[in-house]
Amino acid sequence: MTFLDMLRDASTQNNSMLCVGLDPEPTRFPAGLRGDPRKIYDFCAAIVDSTADVACAFKPQIAYFAAHGAEDQLERLMQHMRCNAPHVPVILDAKRGDIGSTAEQYAKEAFERYGADAVTLSPFMGFDSIEPYLAYHGKGAFLLCRTSNPGGDDLQNQRLASIEGQPLLYEHVARLAQGPWNKNGQLGLVVGATYPQEIERVRSIAPTLPLLIPGVGAQGGDAVATVRAGLRADGPIIVNSSRAILYASGGDDFATAARHEALRTRAVLQAACG
């Protein structure tokens, strides 16, 4: 199955647009695990098990594992998700962006070492930095387009005088992803929930691409505005929440609390469709 097939099936089976982000910070773990990076797998696996029937995707952020030398735990977690939530696609949040043989190695890391179904990428270095990932047919690649951080304005919201119509940079990225770069239908875009008007603009330019939308929850994005701006019948959205779910409780009931928060967020997203 392709990434898009998996996404459609998981969204239907779990009645969900919610992506559970896996950003493990040992200092925020519940008391029995707190401060111990050796427990990253245990913490994340418990979250996965408690939300596997609620999420349309999981999104492990590689830096939270690599910073603690926990890449082996990420490999174990990927295997755990394959065994215990095989219907839910996994997006490796890596935000890679390099060219040539280096990009080939990053693609191998994402899709062969970790077995991800999709990956996040920076398009700053152009199409030849994206192309090696597209050699893995059926895998997805989400390009950073209009990100949720305030500093995104520094580049993404600037006009390109050399392009016809002088689009903003993020608009140009959306056009490339919807058009000439999307040779095998594998591309999607990352747009932040903190900018619902920009989500709507991206959707108008790229009506059929899947949108990965972080920023709901701890970052303050409006879930209802996000759904109304981005969801289309033939244009899926994947709305990510990480910290609000992961750290819903600091006690032994952390997995149960994570499930309750995931259920609550899923319900809010679904209600926005009405």
Side-chain angles (χ1 to χ4, degrees):
M1 294 178 69
T2 68
F3 167 72
L4 286 176
D5 290 334
M6 291 187 70
L7 177 63
R8 291 190 200 99
D9 287 355
S11 298
T12 300
Q13 181 174 332
N14 289 352
N15 190 30
S16 182
M17 293 173 276
L18 173 65
C19 175
V20 175
L22 300 169
D23 302 359
E25 297 182 48
T27 58
R28 300 189 67 179
F29 286 178
L33 307 175
R34 188 168 301 146
D36 189 349
R38 296 171 299 177
K39 300 298 185 181
I40 286 175
Y41 167 80
D42 296 329
F43 176 78
C44 290
I47 298 292
V48 166
D49 292 346
S50 70
T51 59
D53 62 340
V54 182
C56 72
F58 290 114
K59 185 175 70 66
Q61 164 47 259
I62 195 169
Y64 285 85
F65 295 84
H68 298 284
E71 292 93 340
D72 60 331
Q73 294 186 66
L74 177 55
E75 289 184 86
R76 287 178 60 202
L77 180 64
M78 298 295 281
Q79 293 169 0
H80 180 86
M81 289 187 281
R82 283 286 164 267
C83 292
N84 293 276
H87 63 295
V88 180
V90 179
I91 304 167
L92 184 65
D93 193 358
K95 298 183 178 70
R96 303 301 194 200
D98 213 326
I99 56 174
S101 59
T102 305
E104 292 173 3
Q105 298 306 307
Y106 279 137
K108 186 174 183 179
E109 173 195 46
F111 297 137
E112 295 186 35
R113 178 182 182 185
Y114 293 118
D117 301 298
V119 66
T120 59
L121 303 173
S122 169
F124 185 76
M125 294 185 74
F127 181 67
D128 55 344
S129 69
I130 306 301
E131 196 168 19
Y133 300 87
L134 305 185
Y136 289 82
H137 295 288
K139 300 293 188 179
F142 286 88
L143 309 185
L144 300 178
C145 180
R146 185 65 176 108
T147 57
S148 57
N149 61 306
D153 284 349
D154 295 346
L155 293 176
Q156 298 161 18
N157 217 30
Q158 303 306 307
R159 293 205 173 274
L160 299 175
S162 60
I163 305 297
E164 183 179 355
Q166 297 191 8
L168 299 175
L169 177 58
Y170 82 85
E171 295 174 329
H172 187 54
V173 170
R175 287 195 181 99
L176 291 171
Q178 177 70 41
W181 286 10
N182 200 18
K183 294 183 176 181
N184 299 312
Q186 293 168 262
L187 294 183
L189 295 167
V190 179
V191 290
T194 48
Y195 298 109
Q197 290 182 325
E198 279 86 348
I199 295 174
E200 190 170 9
R201 177 61 180 149
V202 169
R203 180 51 85 202
S204 70
I205 297 169
T208 62
L209 295 191
L211 302 182
L212 175 59
I213 308 177
V216 166
Q219 290 180 260
D222 186 325
V224 174
T226 293
V227 172
R228 292 177 178 171
L231 184 64
R232 300 293 181 272
D234 55 352
I237 61 173
I238 307 162
V239 183
N240 183 79
S241 180
S242 299
R243 286 169 287 175
I245 293 174
L246 297 183
Y247 309 115
S249 170
D252 292 340
D253 65 339
F254 73 95
T256 301
R259 176 175 179 79
H260 289 160
E261 178 62 20
L263 285 167
R264 187 198 67 79
T265 306
R266 183 183 69 169
V268 170
L269 295 172
Q270 290 299 126
C273 298

